[in-house]
Amino acid sequence: MKRFTSATLVAATAVLGTLLAPGTAQAADPVDIMNVHARPEGIEVMSLGAMPDFVAHLRKKGSETRVKTVEEFTHSSNCDTSCAEDFYRSGPLVLADLGYYTVDVEYKGTEGEPILHKDVAELDYRALARFENAAVPKAVSLDSLSTTVSADLVARDPRDGKGIPLAGKQVTVAFGDRSKTVSTDAAGHLSAPVDFTGTESSAGISLQHVSADNGEGRATVAPTVERQQVKIALDEGSRSVTAPYGDDVTIGGTITRTAKDGTQKPVATPMRLTIPNTTVSGFTSDPAGRFTKPQRVLKSSTWKVAAAYQQPWLNTSTTADITAKVTAGTAFTNVAMSMDKYRNVYAGGILVQRATSAAPGPAKVEVQYSADGRTGWSTRMTVDTVIDRYFTIPALENAPADGYWRLRYAGTPDLAGSNSARFRLTKTVTTVAEFNANPEPVRQGQYLTLTGTLKQRAASATTWRPYAAQTVRFYFKPAGTGTSYAYMGSTTTAADGTFSRRFTATKDGTWQAQFYDNGTTHFASRSREDYVDVTG
C-alpha cells in the first residue's frame, strides 16, 4: 500500500465488530473495531490497530452485484505514537451511474480465510446541490442595515465535476431569527434583499436548499460590518463604589454610538461588566441607551463596562472604568438546613469574615423564617458562635409545615452582617382522622375495635387525599399511670386510607393511633386520644 496522510471524511458511518464469511471462525478476524466513511472524494477506513491488506467493494443500494472494487489505499496514523487509530484512504471514486451505493470491506483472516464485512457504509453518489459565488457586496452598519445576498445554486456531478444550474429551486435565506424563501432564476442564480434590525448577535446569512434529487446544499456568508464607536457615560455614583464584602451595588449609565454623520445616538445593545479574575456578566441597555446593573462586591478592583462581544455592530474595545472598594464583611459557608418528620428544624454552618485582618470574635447568629422567602422574615432562634468556627443550632421545634429558612448575622459597626442562602423546608402533611374506639364502654375480655382514616395533603394545599398502604401504629395508656404510652400493635391502611384493628379490652385507659413512617417525604401525625371505660 502507498502511504499518505488522510483527512477525516464526513459521511455515512458503520461501527463494526467481527463479521465472517460462511464457514470461518469468529476468533480468526484480526480486526476488532472498524469505522468506514464514503463519499465521492474517497473511502476512508479507521481501525484500532493496523488493518491487513483489504479491498472495498461498491454495490448499487439494494443490489448484490459489485460495480467496482477499490484496491489502492494509503495509510496514516494521523497522530503521534500514543494513538491507537489507523486511517486508510482511497482516491476519488469514479462510477458510471449516479445514485446510492453500498460499501463492503473484504480481507483475509489469520488463517487466510476470507472475511467480508457487508453494508459498512453508504455512498451518496448523486449530483448534490451546492452554493457557489455566494457574496454580500454591500457593507452594513447601524445606519445602513439593508443589503443583498447573491449566489449560484448548482448540482455538481461527481463523475466529471461539471456543475448543472438548478433553475426554479427554492432557497431558504436565514439571518438573525428571521428567514425568507426565494427562487433561483433560469441560470440557477439568486439575489435576495436582507434587512437587519441591528439587534442580531451575528450578521451571518445562511442559504439552504433541500430536494429529493439533489440532497441538501448549505452556505453561510456575511457582509462587512462597519462597527461604530461607542461612548459610555457612567452616572455620578457609579464611577466609584464602596460596599461591605458580599453586598450588592447598582451601577448605571448611558451608552451611545457615533453615527456616520458624527452625532451621538443612544443604542439598545447587549453589554458586559468585566471584573478581574471573576466572570464576565451581561446586561442590556434600553432604547434610550440607559443601563443599570446590580453587582456584588467581593474585592477591591477596577471594573470595566463595555459593549458585549456577542454583537457585530459596535466597537467592543471602548470601556468605562469603575473603582470598586470592599470593606470588612461576613458570609456564611457550609450551611445545611433540614426539617425532620416531627417538624424539628436543624441547621449548621460557618460564619466567616472577609476583607479584614481582625482576629475572629464571638457572634450571634439568628435563625429566621419567611413564608414566601421574600418578605416577613422573623427570628425564631438566636445562637452564640465564634466567627470562622462551625456551629450547629439546637432543634427548633414545632416549625411551620412549609416555608423558607435562613441564617442571619446582624453585624457590628466595624464588620458588616450577612444572610445565608435561603432553604425551603417542607414535607407532605398527614393526619389520622376520624379515630374511634368502639364499643364504649366495653366489657373486660371483649373485643375493642379501633378505626380511623390516614390522610395526606401537600403543605400548600387544602384538599386531603387518602394515604393507602401505610403502617398505622396503636398505643395504649392505662388509666392512672401518668403520660407513658405502650405500643400495642399495627395495621395497614386500605386504598381509601381507612384502617381497623381489634384488641381485647383488659382495663380502663386511653388509646391513640400514630403514623410516623416515610419521614423523608411525610410529616408524622397522631390521632386524638380516645378514653375507653372497661367494665365488669
Side-chain angles (χ1 to χ4, degrees), residues 135-429:
V136 187
K138 180 178 176 293
V140 292
S141 71
L142 288 177
D143 291 319
S144 180
L145 293 166
S146 297
T147 188
T148 300
V149 62
S150 62
D152 297 313
L153 180 63
V154 301
R156 188 66 63 181
D157 192 323
R159 296 170 296 185
D160 54 17
K162 294 181 178 179
I164 304 169
L166 294 178
K169 301 298 183 182
Q170 289 191 332
V171 174
T172 300
V173 181
F175 47 97
D177 58 359
R178 293 170 296 150
S179 65
K180 62 172 65 178
T181 301
V182 300
S183 296
T184 58
D185 61 18
H189 183 75
L190 69 90
S191 179
V194 173
D195 298 312
F196 291 103
T197 64
T199 60
E200 293 82 4
S201 60
S202 167
I205 303 170
S206 67
L207 307 175
Q208 181 187 34
H209 168 72
V210 181
S211 73
D213 295 332
N214 304 109
E216 180 180 11
R218 285 179 176 270
T220 300
V221 65
T224 298
V225 179
E226 297 173 345
R227 288 181 180 262
Q228 296 185 341
Q229 297 296 322
V230 298
K231 181 179 179 181
I232 301 171
L234 295 171
D235 295 341
E236 181 69 28
S238 295
R239 298 168 193 169
S240 178
V241 294
T242 300
Y245 176 90
D247 277 14
D248 286 339
V249 297
T250 298
I251 60 171
T254 302
I255 181 171
T256 58
R257 63 183 178 89
T258 305
K260 186 173 290 188
D261 61 5
T263 61
Q264 294 294 315
K265 295 185 177 182
V267 59
T269 183
M271 300 185 67
R272 73 182 195 270
L273 173 65
T274 304
I275 300 175
N277 301 318
T278 58
T279 58
V280 177
S281 55
F283 55 100
T284 303
S285 61
D286 65 20
R290 285 291 306 167
F291 62 85
T292 57
K293 173 70 170 72
Q295 182 61 44
R296 184 158 297 175
V297 181
L298 299 177
K299 62 181 178 180
S300 298
S301 62
T302 299
W303 301 354
K304 294 183 179 295
V305 177
Y309 294 118
Q310 295 78 18
Q311 53 80 32
W313 308 102
L314 301 172
N315 183 286
T316 60
S317 61
T318 299
T319 63
D321 291 352
I322 299 171
T323 301
K325 181 180 179 182
V326 65
T327 58
T330 56
F332 286 96
T333 65
N334 300 93
V335 176
M337 303 191 84
S338 63
M339 181 161 55
D340 68 15
K341 59 188 176 184
Y342 299 111
R343 298 193 185 180
N344 297 317
V345 169
Y346 302 89
I350 305 173
L351 177 65
V352 297
Q353 60 186 23
R354 296 285 189 263
T356 178
S357 58
K364 291 185 179 295
V365 172
E366 302 169 54
V367 183
Q368 293 191 323
Y369 168 81
S370 166
D372 61 11
R374 298 183 300 274
T375 60
W377 288 98
S378 62
T379 299
R380 298 301 181 93
M381 178 182 288
T382 300
V383 295
D384 292 316
T385 185
V386 176
I387 292 175
D388 288 346
R389 292 184 188 176
Y390 186 81
F391 65 89
T392 59
I393 68 166
L396 195 157
E397 300 177 350
N398 198 29
D402 189 13
Y404 295 83
W405 297 82
R406 72 182 184 185
L407 302 176
R408 178 178 182 270
Y409 171 60
T412 68
D414 298 321
L415 187 64
S418 59
N419 299 320
S420 74
R422 61 183 189 172
F423 295 78
R424 185 179 183 182
L425 303 180
T426 186
K427 298 181 189 292
T428 302
V429 180

